[in-house]
Amino acid sequence: MLSYFALITLVKLSGLLIPFIWLLIIADRRGRLFGTLAIVLLFIVSYINTYFNLPDLAYPSLIDGWLMWFIFGMILVAALRRFLYSPNAAVARTAQSGDGIIGEVVQRFTGAFGWIGKVAMVAVLAVIVFIILGSVTSLVTKMNPRPAVQSIKTDMNDDTKNAPMPIIKNSAETPVVNAPQTISTDMNNSLNSFKNSNVYDLNHMRVQMYKGKMVYVAPVEFSGGFWRYIHYLKVPGYFRTNATDKNADPKFVAKPMKYTPSAYFNNDADRRISAHSLGYSMVGATAQLEIDDNGTPYYVRTLAKPISYLNRNYDFKHYKVAVLNTITGKVKVYSPKQVPKFVDISVTPEFVSQEVSLFGRYRHGFWNATSFGGHSGVMKPTTAGTEGGDKLTPYAYKGRVYYFTGMTSVNEHQSSILGYTFVDARTNTLHYYREHGNVMTPERAISYAQQDINPQNYRGTLPLLYRINGDPTWVVSMLDRDNNSFMKYVYLLADGNNQSGTYAIGDDAQSTLALFEQRVEAKTGVTATIPTGKTVTGTVNRIVRNDDNLLFILKNNNQVYKMDTSAKNFNPLFQFIAEGDRVSFKAESTGGKGLSTANVSLSTFKDNALTAKK
């Protein structure tokens, strides 16, 4: 591994080879000695920088490095030849005042500062040349996004019929995902699960599928720097938490890991991956942890390369995936079609975020997206996500992880969804679905959710879009602003504009869904789906009437059942149920045992005492 970084350093400094040979030809013995010592010292400094800072190893960056040293070296040797080693060096120094304004400036500057001034002038000239070259590449990258957009594997759909958007048919299917902020707080509160927990920390976590369920995985990392690492050398394991159960407790998995991003020297996970990334850029701040079905932890990182030297946009088709075994330190690099099955996220959120942004803005060309073009189909991702610079939200659908974002107009005055992108996190296929209905943006949904329960001053996050009774519905998780604890769910009809009867607030996903369906039914007349659970039969034990709700419990059953008396299909006769009545109905099963209410399906409610006698 040390020899690999030595090779990379040699590649970077190889631009000095031609200038150095020129120096050996023109210089005297002393000049050759000092030149050789300077090259050796430069190699040592560059090697240390390469090893510890892990510079970009994509070919354009390597070429930039080569050109920088070549230009600097050639200018430096040319200056030495003119002012020091030329037979007419003395004449050149005195005659330079006659070379015009530039020559006079150079003569005065170098005359005032001696050889230091000469070196500074060389450096300035090299920087100017390099800035010009960098400006050219930046301009080409900005104005020629088409090759990058064409490299995106896309699946265009004119409607949302086949979108991988969860369709909720009953409360038991509600796939609401816990907010990352809440999971992070819960995991940090569980750090005392292992010995010497005070020397470790949790820096990042990733969503993935584990044995068919969506989970968060967060590795334990060293906290306190180099000396903590020297003392312990390994981290004890990682945390795993169910991503769809708000009552799930983080589970610590004892799997000592030697190769992690917080380790040092050759045990640094990113350094080991960098040693296999020649020609590619490591995308993202650091490698992310994933586990296989046996619980073995691996660090995974996307390796991308630019389109060309001048066009620095990523090639979204020809990328690689590096997988590091945290126990053995072995790194394997895979092409997209060869990635191991346990890897659910082959492409990092940062990679997908750039992909989605370029797709939305430039799929019809650069000029179309400017003020000179027609702006046909120009869109941008919404910014209410949890990953990829707040543009993406992970979805679990049929055992796969998708990065979801809504696409909206670049016109700041518009707040409706034009379509959706679902990027398969394993294959990097971008699926676009056009939305023909009136659907508000997730930012607007969060704003409404916070407005509805503003007295509690909760913070809305993780807006997820589902289909409920065929209607797109935003589900927003409300968190306590101080400690990120989950507090409420808010369901909002996506085209309801926060009108009365188009949203519901509750403590759990199931009862909130049932209340939402009842309210939408009362508002729109659309019949809610009938619960698919078992019919509940029993004798009424206690009754409480509260505003628009009628709550009751049955004998030998602590579950609280609720009927919405404001619902459109509520039978006024139901208000006269009394203690001792024999009733039967279907209700959404919450399993709360009295800790939450179960909403009664009004279309299935029967009370024998209210049945007319013939």
Side-chain angles (χ1 to χ4, degrees), residues 17 66 113 155 189 216 220 234 283 287 299 310 314 360 409 419 425 431 442 476 518 545 583:
L17 180 60
W66 188 93
F113 295 97
D155 169 38
N189 291 337
Y216 282 104
V220 174
K234 293 183 179 182
V283 184
Y299 273 104
L310 292 178
Y314 284 144
S409 172
H431 303 270
V476 180
Q518 290 181 0
R545 291 171 173 82
V583 296

Side-chain angles (χ1 to χ4, degrees), residues 168-341:
I168 301 176
K169 297 180 179 179
N170 59 67
S171 293
E173 298 177 349
T174 307
V176 176
V177 180
N178 289 327
Q181 301 95 317
T182 303
I183 297 298
S184 179
T185 300
D186 291 345
M187 287 182 174
N188 277 290
N189 291 337
S190 302
L191 279 176
N192 60 352
S193 303
F194 50 88
K195 186 179 179 181
N196 298 319
S197 60
N198 59 302
V199 302
Y200 301 103
D201 202 356
L202 296 172
N203 294 327
H204 63 272
M205 61 183 176
R206 164 168 282 190
V207 168
Q208 71 167 99
M209 303 303 295
Y210 176 70
K211 295 185 177 179
K213 295 182 179 180
M214 194 173 185
V215 299
Y216 282 104
V217 177
V220 174
E221 300 284 2
F222 290 107
S223 175
F226 178 74
W227 298 111
R228 291 276 177 85
Y229 166 74
I230 290 297
H231 188 78
Y232 293 97
L233 296 178
K234 293 183 179 182
V235 297
Y238 59 87
F239 281 94
R240 186 181 72 236
T241 306
N242 189 304
T244 59
D245 182 3
K246 72 183 184 69
N247 296 316
D249 293 322
K251 178 182 179 182
F252 176 72
V253 181
K255 286 278 188 180
M257 296 182 285
K258 181 179 179 181
Y259 303 94
T260 67
S262 62
Y264 284 80
F265 304 116
N266 289 349
N267 293 346
D268 183 316
D270 289 326
R271 184 166 293 120
R272 298 189 75 84
I273 291 175
S274 177
H276 293 77
S277 64
L278 182 60
Y280 290 82
S281 301
M282 296 191 299
V283 184
T286 186
Q288 297 287 316
L289 193 74
E290 288 206 35
I291 58 177
D292 61 18
D293 285 343
N294 297 321
T296 303
Y298 296 83
Y299 273 104
V300 180
R301 196 161 193 184
T302 306
L303 306 178
K305 66 177 182 179
I307 295 292
S308 65
Y309 174 73
L310 292 178
N311 192 335
R312 304 297 176 90
N313 289 308
Y314 284 144
D315 183 337
F316 296 104
K317 183 178 181 180
H318 300 100
Y319 61 92
K320 300 287 187 181
V321 182
V323 180
L324 164 70
N325 188 309
T326 63
I327 300 172
T328 66
K330 187 174 182 179
V331 178
K332 292 185 178 181
V333 178
Y334 300 93
S335 62
K337 294 182 179 181
Q338 297 173 335
V339 177
K341 291 183 178 181

